[in-house]
Amino acid sequence: MAQQPNDVRQWPDESDLVSERPTLEGSLTESAFEALPTQIALLDGEGDIIHTNRAWRAFGEENEIVGAPDTIGQNYPAVCRGADDEFARQAYEGLTAVLDGERPEFAFEYPCHGPNEKRWFTMRALPFEHGDERYVLVLHLNITDRKLSELRVDAQNDTLETLNDINDAVRDVIDSLLGEVNRGEVEAAVCERLADSRLYQTALTVTAGLTGESGRVRKAAGELDAERVDAGSLLEGGVADAIEDGEPRVFRHAAENEAVPERLRTLADEAAVEAYATVPLAYRGTTYGALVVTARRPDAFDERERTAFTLLGETVGYAIDAIQSKRVLQADALTQLRFDVSDDTEFLVRAADETGASLELEGLVPSAEGVIGYFHVEDADPAALVAAAGDDPTVTNARAVVDGDDDEPGLFECTITGDSALVALSGYGASVVSASVEGGEMELTAVVAPEADVRSIVEAVSAAVPENNLTAKRETEGTITSMTGFRDRLYDELTDRQREILEAAYFGGYFEQPRRSSGTELADSFGVSSPTFHQHLQAALRKLTALSFETAEN
């Protein structure tokens, strides 16, 4: 009950009460006490309760205390001292100090929860003298509404702070792209930003191999000893699933959760981890790993928090993709990879074999769905390739751009969205510089930045098309473009979408006379409206023209 902070209901029996109970019955004071909604008790100089009001008695009756609900005759400090509760001990110490004249007054807040509701009270003890006697007035004020409001505000503030921390991490990642940073520096910055927040305990990034057994922890920050966190347990504990389907995972009660591997449960118990989340680092369908974040808050990673982390994962994935692509465009030295692909799950291999066509890559443009490819066609009608695409789930927007004749090869366009070596390479920031398909075989060459994780790239290609061979790997000069060259400057000016649409328009014959592709056809390849396509194209052409005139003048 509110008369004692710990809600102890065992008050002494009537036989233990003092025989004479001084009362104020019939007085104006008693009438005033009775009218007050606040629970009030009057104590004598020894701490015995000599008077209580109606609110005090009603609370005792409602909470079924043992003994008389008015509790008159009880020694209030003794009751508090006998309770095994930290708030009762605080009340005892404060009351005793007031009764002994060591404190002018005493007040504190305490919880007094019922079986079906949460309640909080403020207790105040105010001493006064009457005649030659010393008394203490004890008040218990119900502050539940105020406390619940404060808790709601605290929860909202925590949520806002959480979102601000995550948004700051997103801004840090975006800002990092303006400087010369590598993937490791981006991942380390994100981990350090989250681990420095009071809301999280540890953050680390993990990558997985082809089978999920050769993963490794790349970067880590925070309280957990990263050397004790093995990548295999993390992969089993949600990381592999997050990488596989691109969806974040949240694990609460980590130390007891049977879905969490035993080793992680042990670490969670030792480090008081209440919850952790696994967030995929993905962009354009390619997942570069996962971010793992731990927290001591049982309610961590609610819906809004998960949404913010999803954005963070996409931003880091975009940064990794942009860094790798930029390195390929600007590097003075590159790593060249050559593959032979004979897997008929690769649409181009299957279609060329079925139609007898010989295909030569003209240009490849990354898209949100996969890659848009343009291929010169010989020994077959491009329309036969369109027919071969049919209802193939891995290919969309297949069309014959140029029918072809004896003087000019045909031109075939399609968007490849499913298992494909071309999609896998593009997803890892590789630039496919050549590809030819004939007789059930595809030979392709790609270049990647020298610091790229070649093993992961090869594994990604094998995951997409198992029947392949890496036939060559060598270092080569960065001949795609000079670091200070025109194309480098142009790519800095263009947005990703402007560059993609400009390249698609060029390879698709939009600028030729007569046009091989209309704006509507190219817009359909990107899944955008014709006005949107032309808006991006005009912006790209304007930047290209401005840069051309500037270069010419220089």
Side-chain angles (χ1 to χ4, degrees):
M1 59 185 295
Q3 293 92 322
Q4 46 183 327
N6 69 327
D7 198 15
V8 171
R9 298 175 183 172
Q10 285 290 350
W11 293 81
D13 296 333
E14 289 288 332
S15 60
D16 297 328
L17 305 183
V18 293
S19 58
E20 296 183 5
R21 300 175 180 175
T23 66
L24 301 174
E25 292 182 2
S27 70
L28 178 62
T29 301
E30 190 220 9
S31 298
F33 273 27
E34 289 293 292
L36 288 172
T38 301
Q39 301 162 40
I40 301 176
L42 183 60
L43 314 184
D44 64 16
E46 301 299 322
D48 294 329
I49 299 175
I50 62 175
H51 192 81
T52 56
N53 70 344
R54 182 185 297 113
W56 183 284
R57 298 192 298 274
F59 190 92
E61 292 172 351
E62 292 170 0
N63 289 272
E64 301 177 350
I65 68 166
V66 177
D70 61 18
T71 67
I72 292 175
Q74 306 298 325
N75 185 273
Y76 200 6
V79 172
C80 294
R81 182 180 56 189
D84 184 18
D85 180 272
E86 62 171 304
F87 297 109
R89 287 194 292 272
Q90 290 182 48
Y92 168 76
E93 293 171 359
L95 276 173
T96 301
V98 171
L99 287 165
D100 293 344
E102 297 174 358
R103 296 183 61 164
E105 64 176 81
F106 169 70
F108 85 119
E109 296 180 1
Y110 64 93
C112 183
H113 303 318
N116 300 314
E117 63 176 331
K118 298 288 187 181
R119 299 177 301 208
W120 287 266
F121 289 83
T122 290
M123 172 185 173
R124 297 195 68 187
L126 304 170
F128 67 94
E129 294 183 356
H130 180 68
D132 295 332
E133 300 293 330
R134 183 176 177 83
Y135 299 90
V136 175
L137 191 64
V138 177
L139 303 89
H140 292 271
L141 177 64
N142 191 319
I143 58 169
T144 299
D145 288 343
R146 191 202 80 195
K147 198 69 178 180
L148 290 174
S149 177
E150 290 175 353
L151 291 174
R152 284 193 295 269
V153 171
D154 288 344
Q156 291 172 354
N157 288 339
D158 278 348
T159 298
L160 289 175
E161 183 174 348
T162 300
L163 299 179
N164 285 336
D165 282 345
I166 298 173
N167 288 335
D168 286 343
V170 170
R171 283 194 294 271
D172 287 348
V173 172
I174 294 173
D175 290 344
S176 72
L177 298 179
L178 301 177
E180 293 297 325
V181 296
N182 57 40
R183 173 178 175 174
E185 290 170 335
V186 169
E187 294 182 19
V190 171
C191 290
E192 290 167 5
R193 160 70 72 173
L194 295 174
D196 286 343
S197 165
R198 71 177 181 84
L199 300 166
Y200 304 108
Q201 179 187 22
T202 300
L204 46 87
T205 56
V206 187
T207 57
L210 176 59
T211 64
E213 298 175 353
S214 55
R216 64 188 179 97
V217 175
R218 285 179 50 85
K219 299 295 177 181
E223 298 178 20
L224 280 182
D225 184 356
E227 294 183 358
R228 297 186 61 199
V229 183
D230 67 290
S233 295
L234 289 170
L235 289 166
E236 293 177 16
V239 169
D241 291 335
I243 292 174
E244 177 68 24
D245 61 20
E247 295 293 334
R249 297 286 193 285
V250 174
F251 295 85
R252 304 190 189 282
H253 311 295
E256 298 87 24
N257 192 332
E258 292 296 327
V260 177
E262 183 178 357
R263 179 170 177 78
L264 292 187
R265 291 203 303 270
T266 300
L267 289 175
D269 184 51
E270 294 175 357
V273 173
E274 288 288 344
Y276 72 91
T278 61
V279 183
L281 308 178
Y283 180 66
R284 283 181 174 168
T286 298
T287 303
Y288 296 95
L291 172 70
V292 180
V293 185
T294 70
R296 290 197 172 104
R297 296 174 293 134
D299 59 348
F301 311 114
D302 61 13
E303 184 176 355
R304 284 190 291 182
E305 209 167 332
R306 289 196 301 271
T307 299
F309 268 109
T310 299
L311 172 61
L312 176 60
E314 292 173 351
T315 304
V316 175
Y318 166 78
I320 295 172
D321 179 85
I323 289 169
Q324 292 184 347
S325 297
K326 185 176 182 180
R327 290 291 293 126
V328 170
L329 291 173
Q330 296 184 343
D332 293 322
L334 298 168
T335 299
Q336 185 182 86
L337 306 175
R338 184 169 297 167
F339 294 88
D340 285 344
V341 178
S342 57
D343 200 315
D344 62 6
T345 58
E346 175 79 61
F347 166 74
L348 296 171
V349 171
R350 186 172 62 256
D353 190 40
E354 291 176 359
T355 63
S358 297
L359 306 178
E360 194 73 31
L361 178 66
E362 169 68 10
L364 198 66
V365 182
S367 72
E369 294 76 23
V371 293
I372 303 172
Y374 297 87
F375 303 89
H376 289 301
V377 182
E378 294 184 347
D379 303 326
D381 190 334
L385 294 170
V386 176
D391 297 326
D392 192 312
T394 67
V395 181
T396 62
N397 302 320
R399 67 187 183 98
V401 180
V402 177
D403 292 334
D405 52 35
D406 293 338
D407 298 326
E408 182 181 21
L411 184 62
F412 170 69
E413 175 200 341
C414 67
T415 301
I416 305 172
T417 60
D419 291 337
S420 168
L422 299 175
V423 174
L425 289 165
S426 177
Y428 274 86
S431 177
V432 179
V433 294
S434 68
S436 58
V437 190
E438 186 175 8
E441 295 278 349
M442 177 166 67
E443 295 181 359
L444 64 87
T445 300
V447 291
V448 297
E451 71 274 12
D453 187 348
V454 174
R455 178 171 175 270
S456 294
I457 295 172
V458 173
E459 288 177 340
V461 172
S462 295
V465 284
E467 295 183 24
N468 81 89
N469 289 306
L470 177 65
T471 59
K473 173 191 171 185
R474 67 183 184 88
E475 299 304 311
T476 183
E477 293 183 1
T479 57
I480 293 180
T481 182
S482 168
M483 184 176 291
T484 58
F486 176 85
R487 191 176 180 188
D488 181 23
R489 296 185 60 193
L490 176 62
Y491 273 49
D492 284 341
E493 292 289 332
L494 298 176
T495 66
D496 286 346
R497 181 44 62 94
Q498 290 169 358
R499 176 176 57 82
E500 292 165 0
I501 284 180
L502 184 60
E503 289 180 348
Y506 175 79
F507 293 126
Y510 178 81
F511 299 114
E512 297 185 15
Q513 189 63 37
R515 285 177 175 167
R516 294 179 173 182
S517 301
S518 68
T520 300
E521 290 170 330
L522 292 169
D524 290 340
S525 298
F526 286 91
V528 300
S529 66
S530 181
T532 299
F533 169 85
H534 283 95
Q535 180 181 358
H536 286 299
L537 181 60
Q538 288 298 322
L541 290 173
R542 183 169 58 253
K543 293 177 180 178
L544 173 62
T545 304
L547 192 58
S548 298
F549 281 121
E550 176 186 341
T551 303
E553 291 172 359
N554 292 340

